[in-house]
């Protein structure tokens, strides 16, 4: 039986700094230029907001970027991860990128899932290396159960994401892979943040994470050295340790070389 104590110690269950309203002051960080792919999406918009709040410059990259109104601190650039030639100018001069591109599996063809989650990631990593990007942070997905229990409808999406993760690890760029078992639209800061490096996700939920909290984790991984070459799952959970998850990233294990 998996106990909450076991989850706390094996999963590094840690509190969200949003509960305290704590953010690192901009003066403590050297300003970076961070590209957000999928910047106009439901999670990407929170990534953009968090980066701006911390004093960083943003390249908002999306197919619909041209329709976005001007925003201080954001340079909107139209590009498509399925067209690698469009990414070079968008990533030139960027310090780090956050790949938050997503499609709804029930609304697209299976080939589109692989284009976005596998070849899109691989091609973006190649372009990032050529243009001198130093860090690639990938928003990915984690399963709630062994693969044999996965709903058939989700299998292509999860397989495409697994292939994309593997391509990123082998690309040679410094990376972080942040997995979520599901994203909710509730406000951030209502629950703590749990970091796990075990599969499958232990029972006891509800194990999802809100988009706003997930975005904060993605941003921290893009601008700090704590999570380089690490893969983990992020969840919302009620935990006693509030405001320390950022520091705990450094204690996660790096992926095998």
């Amino acid at each position: 039986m998996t106990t909450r104590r076991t989850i706390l110690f094996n999963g590094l269950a840690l509190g969200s700094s949003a509960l305290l309203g704590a953010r690192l002051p901009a003066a403590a960080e050297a300003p970076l230029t961070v590209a957000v792919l999928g910047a106009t999406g439901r999670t990407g918009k929170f990534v953009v907001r968090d980066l701006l709040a911390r004093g960083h410059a943003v390249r908002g990259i999306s197919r619909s970027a041209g329709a976005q109104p001007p925003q201080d601190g954001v340079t909107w650039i139209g590009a498509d991860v399925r067209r690698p030639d469009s990414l070079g100018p968008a990533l030139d001069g960027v310090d780090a990128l956050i790949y938050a591109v997503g499609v709804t599996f029930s609304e697209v063809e299976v080939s589109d899932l692989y284009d976005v989650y596998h070849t899109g990631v691989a091609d973006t990593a190649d372009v990032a290396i050529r243009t001198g990007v130093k860090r690639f942070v990938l928003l990915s997905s984690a399963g709630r159960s062994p693969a044999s229990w996965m709903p058939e409808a989700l299998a292509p999406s999860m397989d495409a994401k697994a292939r994309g993760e593997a391509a990123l690890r082998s690309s040679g760029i410094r990376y972080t892979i942040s997995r979520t078992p599901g994203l909710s639209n509730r406000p951030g800061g209502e629950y703590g943040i749990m970091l796990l490096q075990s599969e499958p996700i232990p029972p006891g939920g509800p194990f999802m994470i809100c988009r706003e909290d997930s975005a904060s984790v993605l941003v921290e991984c893009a601008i700090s050295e704590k999570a380089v070459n690490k893969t983990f799952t992020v969840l919302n959970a009620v935990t006693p340790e509030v405001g320390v998850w950022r520091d705990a990233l450094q204690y996660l294990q790096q992926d095998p070389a």
Side-chain angles (χ1 to χ4, degrees):
M1 176 179 178
T2 302
T3 66
R4 184 170 180 276
R5 182 179 179 85
T6 300
I7 295 172
L8 284 171
F9 281 94
N10 292 343
L12 291 177
L14 303 162
S16 167
S17 63
L19 288 169
L20 296 179
R23 289 188 183 275
L24 294 180
E29 300 170 355
L32 302 176
T33 299
V34 182
V36 181
L37 286 82
T40 59
R42 290 178 292 174
T43 302
K45 65 181 181 180
F46 289 116
V47 173
V48 171
R49 189 176 74 180
D50 198 294
L51 284 165
L52 293 175
R54 296 180 68 155
H56 302 287
V58 175
R59 298 268 184 94
I61 301 173
S62 170
R63 289 184 299 167
S64 62
Q68 300 304 306
Q71 185 175 357
D72 288 345
V74 182
T75 301
W76 295 106
I77 301 177
D80 190 338
V81 299
R82 290 168 290 193
R83 291 180 46 243
D85 58 300
S86 71
L87 295 175
L91 296 181
D92 186 42
V94 164
D95 297 298
L97 73 85
I98 297 173
Y99 193 103
V101 185
V103 291
T104 303
F105 73 90
S106 60
E107 298 177 358
V108 299
E109 299 294 330
V110 169
S111 60
D112 292 320
L113 298 174
Y114 285 90
D115 287 345
V116 170
Y117 296 133
H118 177 204
T119 56
V121 171
D123 290 342
T124 301
D126 288 343
V127 176
I129 291 170
R130 292 200 304 269
T131 54
V133 178
K134 299 178 181 66
R135 186 78 51 78
F136 189 130
V137 178
L138 174 64
L139 173 61
S140 190
S141 294
R144 292 173 178 269
S145 58
S148 60
W149 298 354
M150 186 184 303
E152 184 176 353
L154 288 177
S157 180
M158 295 298 290
D159 180 63
K161 290 182 179 184
R163 291 172 184 263
E165 289 185 7
L168 179 57
R169 292 190 190 97
S170 64
S171 69
I173 197 169
R174 291 155 64 84
Y175 69 87
T176 302
I177 298 170
S178 178
R179 296 168 168 167
T180 73
L183 290 160
S184 76
N185 294 317
R186 68 173 182 268
E190 293 183 343
Y191 297 95
I193 292 177
M194 178 186 291
L195 309 177
L196 291 175
Q197 286 190 301
S198 61
E199 291 284 353
I201 294 170
F207 285 144
M208 294 181 70
I209 187 166
C210 68
R211 296 180 185 277
E212 190 172 0
D213 286 346
S214 175
S216 293
V217 175
L218 295 171
V219 169
E220 184 68 21
C221 293
I223 65 179
S224 79
E225 297 290 320
K226 299 172 185 175
V228 172
N229 296 349
K230 296 178 182 180
T231 301
F232 54 86
T233 298
V234 293
L235 316 166
N236 277 141
V238 178
T239 63
E241 298 85 357
V242 175
V244 297
W245 66 265
R246 296 180 195 274
D247 291 334
L249 283 168
Q250 62 189 307
Y251 299 110
L252 295 174
Q253 295 296 309
Q254 286 193 326
D255 294 342

